[in-house]
């Protein structure tokens, strides 16, 4: 059977015009150019936020930065946010992450600590890299003059060591389903790479574009403040833009990526390859440098290529928010309801489908550890494939026609004749803020100088509920109006799920000896009887906790602790089961009780466990199902009955 393998490659601060395949013939990027020719190149791909951590948070959680709490550098993700590594690992996919993580908060280099779900043997954030170096080596690899002064070699770079580990993983796990991430820090500053790559660009000057001379007269005030001493620097006669180290580091990153592509190409069944970058760099566009509170093309328009499900150029707008559902779609794993984007794969399967009507972008602040880069500058934007609108909450807003004005020189926000376009994009931004429960949403996003609200509006605005659709890894939220578990998230306060309160629930526990066909029967019911929910035993976190604490069943005190974990887990499962009218359980509370009380006897130990566990056992006993079905049906007999439409629960269900 064909293996499902995906290699996800990401660089840092790589603009589209730093690649030959995106039109810059001066750039030496043969490996990524080859990838573009062999797969689909996306011409209108955008980051969710042009800052390292927020961009990565959207990619690796499937949620916008404002949703997963990754809206600024130096902020760790919320405890209730699961990475795609955890989710895919739980689905049986071997997941490994090699390279820059930048999602654990605080330190740029990371903590050297592998998050849940990823293979610890391959975890290699920048802290792991630094731990391999002497203090002197650490200093050298962070100083740009080291390129020539110390004749920097490939093996002293982070990118090379990341590629080494990625190649090793590909070779050793070629027979497995896997998801491998290689996340390079390159070409992010300090642009460290061997001198031969820098020398490729020693005589090259980047052409001065029109928007490098932007006077910023019709732009938001904070852009003029951000420009500072660089304001109109490109207008000077002696201005030259020749960042040879940065350009050389782009080519070096391409070389290391090529090593990984070559390793993947050795096998008849090649893995799917996804490549992107987190964001770009202003490089004097609009007199600005670096990245910050703006949504200009230089920092939001990013390269994206996918090899493995088609060839050509896709000109529809796509976003980093689409990548997580795309990865799950390609693996055939159900897409979690918490993901806030659609799969790009839908467009491939059906060319008539458009993945996005709009792509949404945002900015909160650059970094919480200091007030540089403007501090808190909230903005939200939308792009429909031609027009881009940006709402700058604290300053003036922007509207650009990228078809007629690709360098975003003319701000159309106050121009007559654009009322309908402005209104449509504005409503799209507001809808996305509300649909994703943007914690920064509020009255003044709606009340703009060009869109004054004439009638009185309350602070409740659209009366959105505090409830959200539940994360699969969390207990079900309770409805505000009834205190009972929600059956679905509601949009407005006061619309509680009244039907739930009077609904009668039935829980059935299926029992029988091992091998009699219980699992087969339940799998059939789950697939063919939509009104019945199947509650499968969910014990992974219990097993992990037992391992973490090194608890042993043969030790009395340890056994009590283990059973407390199991019993609490069963109570939670029963509570979830009450959400549906009819739930069937493969392993019921009664079995947990029996096992707890009788296991010691099976190994010859006369332990008193009922009294020490009375509280926990009473909680489990309160969860006994209304009905227990004793079942005996061999697999062959069940399959025969299934074919005849005579499965064993027909009379009950």
């Amino acid at each position: 059977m064909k293996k499902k393998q995906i290699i996800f490659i990401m660089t840092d601060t790589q603009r589209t015009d730093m690649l030959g395949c995106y039109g810059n013939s001066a750039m030496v990027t043969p490996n990524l150019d080859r990838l573009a020719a062999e797969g689909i190149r996306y011409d209108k791909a955008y980051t969710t936020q042009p800052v390292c951590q927020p961009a990565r948070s959207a990619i690796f959680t499937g949620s916008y930065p404002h949703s997963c709490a990754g809206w600024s550098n130096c902020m760790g993700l919320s405890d209730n946010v699961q990475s795609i590594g955890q989710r895919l690992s739980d689905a049986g996919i071997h997941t490994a992450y090699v390279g820059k993580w930048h999602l654990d908060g605080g330190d740029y280099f990371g903590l050297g600590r592998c998050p849940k779900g990823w293979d610890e043997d391959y975890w290699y954030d920048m802290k792991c890299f630094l731990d391999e170096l002497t203090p002197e080596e650490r200093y050298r690899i962070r100083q740009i003059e080291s390129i020539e002064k110390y004749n920097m070699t490939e093996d002293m770079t982070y990118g090379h060591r990341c590629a080494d580990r990625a190649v090793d993983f590909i070779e050793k796990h070629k027979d497995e389903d896997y998801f491998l991430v290689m996340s390079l820090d390159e070409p992010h500053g300090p642009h460290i790479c061997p001198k031969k790559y820098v020398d490729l660009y020693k005589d090259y000057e980047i052409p001065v574009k029109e928007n490098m001379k932007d006077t910023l007269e019709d732009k938001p005030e904070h852009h003029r403040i951000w420009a500072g001493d660089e304001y109109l620097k490109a207008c000077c006669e002696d201005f030259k833009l020749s960042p040879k180290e940065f350009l050389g580091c782009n080519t070096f990153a391409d070389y290391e990526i090529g090593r990984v592509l070559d390793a993947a190409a050795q096998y008849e069944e090649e893995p799917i390859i996804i490549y992107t970058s987190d964001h770009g760099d202003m490089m004097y566009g609009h007199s600005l440098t670096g990245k910050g509170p703006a949504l200009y093309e230089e920092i939001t328009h990013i390269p994206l290529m996918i090899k493995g499900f088609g060839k050509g150029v896709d000109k529809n707008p796509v976003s980093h928010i689409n990548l997580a559902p795309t990865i799950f779609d390609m693996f055939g794993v159900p897409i979690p309801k918490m993901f806030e984007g659609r799969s790009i794969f839908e467009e491939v399967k059906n060319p008539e489908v458009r993945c996005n009507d709009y792509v949404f972008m945002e900015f909160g602040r650059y970094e919480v550890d200091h007030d540089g880069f403007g501090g808190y500058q909230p903005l939200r934007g939308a792009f429909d494939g031609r027009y881009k609108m940006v709402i700058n909450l604290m300053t003036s807003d922007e509207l650009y026609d990228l078809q007629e004005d690709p360098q975003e020189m003319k701000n159309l926000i106050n121009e007559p004749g654009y009322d309908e376009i402005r209104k449509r994009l504005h409503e799209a931004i507001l809808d996305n803020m509300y649909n994703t429960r943007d914690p920064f949403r509020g009255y003044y996003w709606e009340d703009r100088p060009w869109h004054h609200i004439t009638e009185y509006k309350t602070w409740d605005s659209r009366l959105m509920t505090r409830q959200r659709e539940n994360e699969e890894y969390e207990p079900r939220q309770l409805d505000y109006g009834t205190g009972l578990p929600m059956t679905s998230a509601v949009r407005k306060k006061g619309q509680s799920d009244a039907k739930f309160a009077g609904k009668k629930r039935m829980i059935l526990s299926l029992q029988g000896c091992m091998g009699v066909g219980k699992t087969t029967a339940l799998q059939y019911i789950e697939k063919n009887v939509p009104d019945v929910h199947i509650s499968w035993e969910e014990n992974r976190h219990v097993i992990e906790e037992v391992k973490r604490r090194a608890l042993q069943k043969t030790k009395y005190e340890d056994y009590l602790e283990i059973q407390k974990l199991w019993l609490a887990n069963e109570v939670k499962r029963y509570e979830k089961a009450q959400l549906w009218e009819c739930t069937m359980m493969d392993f019921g509370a009664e079995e947990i009780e029996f096992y707890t009380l009788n296991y010691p006897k099976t190994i010859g130990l006369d332990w008193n466990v009922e009294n020490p566990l009375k509280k926990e056992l009473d909680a489990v006993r309160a969860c006994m199902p209304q009905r227990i079905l004793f079942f005996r049906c061999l697999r062959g007999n069940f399959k025969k009955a299934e074919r005849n439409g005579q499965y064993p629960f027909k009379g009950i269900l």
Side-chain angles (χ1 to χ4, degrees), residues 227-275:
D229 294 338
E230 307 300 319
Y231 180 61
L232 294 182
K233 193 172 182 177
C235 293
C236 300
E237 291 185 6
D238 61 346
F239 177 79
K240 293 182 180 180
L241 188 57
S242 182
K244 60 182 181 179
E245 291 86 3
F246 177 52
L247 300 180
C249 202
N250 275 269
T251 296
F252 173 62
D254 179 86
Y255 164 74
E256 297 296 350
I257 290 170
R259 294 176 60 210
V260 176
L261 298 181
D262 290 344
Q266 293 181 24
Y267 306 103
E268 184 178 350
E269 297 178 358
E270 290 187 49
I272 291 171
I273 308 292
I274 302 174
Y275 156 78

Side-chain angles (χ1 to χ4, degrees), residues 41-73:
R41 189 190 79 221
Y42 293 86
D43 267 4
K44 295 180 180 177
Y46 287 81
T47 184
T48 54
Q49 180 165 328
V51 180
C52 297
Q53 177 174 329
R56 293 159 189 273
S57 72
I59 293 171
F60 296 112
T61 73
S63 300
Y64 286 100
H66 65 252
S67 295
C68 64
W71 58 276
S72 170
N73 281 343

Side-chain angles (χ1 to χ4, degrees), residues 345-359:
F345 199 35
E346 295 180 26
E347 289 188 357
V348 178
K349 293 182 287 187
N350 182 1
E352 301 297 320
V353 173
R354 183 164 167 169
C355 181
N356 302 302
D357 292 324
Y358 305 92
V359 293

Side-chain angles (χ1 to χ4, degrees), residues 378-615:
L379 58 90
R380 298 290 185 269
F383 175 60
D384 66 1
R386 176 173 178 174
Y387 295 99
K388 181 194 291 181
M389 170 180 277
V390 185
I391 300 178
N392 297 278
L393 190 61
M394 295 182 176
T395 55
S396 57
D397 305 316
E398 303 162 85
L399 176 65
Y400 303 104
D401 181 350
L402 295 191
Q403 180 174 297
E404 300 297 324
D405 178 25
Q407 295 194 46
E408 299 168 295
M409 292 292 291
K410 178 67 174 174
N411 186 2
L412 305 171
I413 195 66
N414 293 312
E415 291 291 316
Y418 290 88
D419 291 350
E420 289 303 314
I421 295 168
R422 188 169 55 215
K423 180 181 178 181
R424 173 172 57 81
L425 288 164
H426 185 208
E427 289 181 351
I429 291 172
L430 294 174
D431 284 344
N432 189 62
M433 294 183 74
Y434 283 99
N435 291 337
T436 62
R437 301 177 75 252
D438 190 330
F440 300 101
R441 68 183 187 268
Y443 178 83
Y444 287 107
W445 293 104
E446 190 169 354
D447 188 46
R448 309 306 298 154
W450 39 267
H451 179 241
H452 280 300
I453 301 175
T454 56
E455 61 184 52
Y456 176 75
K457 297 281 187 174
T458 71
W459 290 106
D460 285 334
S461 189
R462 299 188 182 186
L463 302 175
M464 297 299 293
T465 182
R466 51 174 61 86
Q467 287 102 352
R468 59 171 171 79
E469 194 57 58
N470 225 65
E471 162 64 52
E472 293 88 342
Y473 288 77
E474 296 176 348
R476 193 66 173 168
Q477 289 192 52
L478 304 180
D479 178 77
Y480 182 74
T482 66
L484 296 169
M486 296 190 309
T487 57
S488 63
V490 292
R491 285 191 57 82
K492 296 191 176 182
K493 294 177 181 178
Q495 293 184 349
S496 57
D497 194 347
K499 295 181 180 179
F500 181 86
K503 272 289 185 184
K504 184 178 180 181
R505 298 301 191 248
M506 177 175 287
I507 299 175
L508 304 97
S509 175
L510 184 60
Q511 295 192 7
C513 297
M514 186 180 295
V516 300
K518 301 190 301 295
T519 300
T520 305
L522 293 180
Q523 287 173 340
Y524 176 88
I525 293 171
E526 187 173 53
K527 181 180 179 181
N528 295 281
V529 189
D531 294 335
V532 177
H533 171 71
I534 306 301
S535 176
W536 301 102
E537 188 180 12
E538 302 171 352
N539 57 21
R540 179 184 293 269
H541 65 287
V542 175
I543 296 172
E544 289 178 351
E545 181 64 11
V546 171
K547 288 182 179 178
R548 187 186 70 82
R549 294 167 61 181
L551 301 175
Q552 299 180 34
K553 287 184 178 180
T554 54
K555 295 181 178 180
Y556 179 68
E557 296 298 332
D558 282 8
Y559 180 79
L560 294 178
E561 288 300 312
I562 292 171
Q563 294 312 305
K564 287 179 181 179
L565 294 171
W566 282 106
L567 296 170
N569 184 66
E570 190 63 20
V571 170
K572 289 182 179 179
R573 187 160 76 107
Y574 183 84
E575 291 172 350
K576 290 183 180 180
Q578 297 184 71
L579 296 170
W580 292 270
E581 290 186 51
C582 182
T583 299
M584 300 187 71
M585 309 182 86
D586 64 321
F587 196 65
E590 62 287 349
E591 292 179 280
I592 289 284
E593 179 189 11
F594 181 84
Y595 177 91
T596 299
L597 294 173
N598 291 280
Y599 176 79
K601 298 175 184 177
T602 66
I603 58 175
L605 297 172
D606 188 18
W607 286 346
N608 174 22
V609 298
E610 185 163 5
N611 289 336
L613 296 175
K614 185 178 184 308
K615 178 181 177 183

Side-chain angles (χ1 to χ4, degrees), residues 310-380:
K311 293 184 179 181
V313 178
D314 189 304
K315 297 185 178 296
N316 294 327
V318 295
S319 165
H320 279 161
I321 203 67
N322 300 120
L323 293 181
T326 301
I327 291 164
F328 276 64
D329 202 1
M330 289 189 289
F331 273 123
V333 176
I335 297 174
K337 58 191 175 188
M338 298 300 289
F339 284 5
E340 294 174 331
R342 291 177 62 183
S343 168
I344 299 171
F345 199 35
E346 295 180 26
E347 289 188 357
V348 178
K349 293 182 287 187
N350 182 1
E352 301 297 320
V353 173
R354 183 164 167 169
C355 181
N356 302 302
D357 292 324
Y358 305 92
V359 293
F360 298 99
M361 296 161 277
E362 62 188 74
F363 191 92
R365 68 183 299 153
Y366 180 82
E367 187 170 293
V368 296
D369 284 2
H370 62 72
D371 283 326
F373 297 85
Y376 181 55
Q377 289 288 339
L379 58 90
R380 298 290 185 269

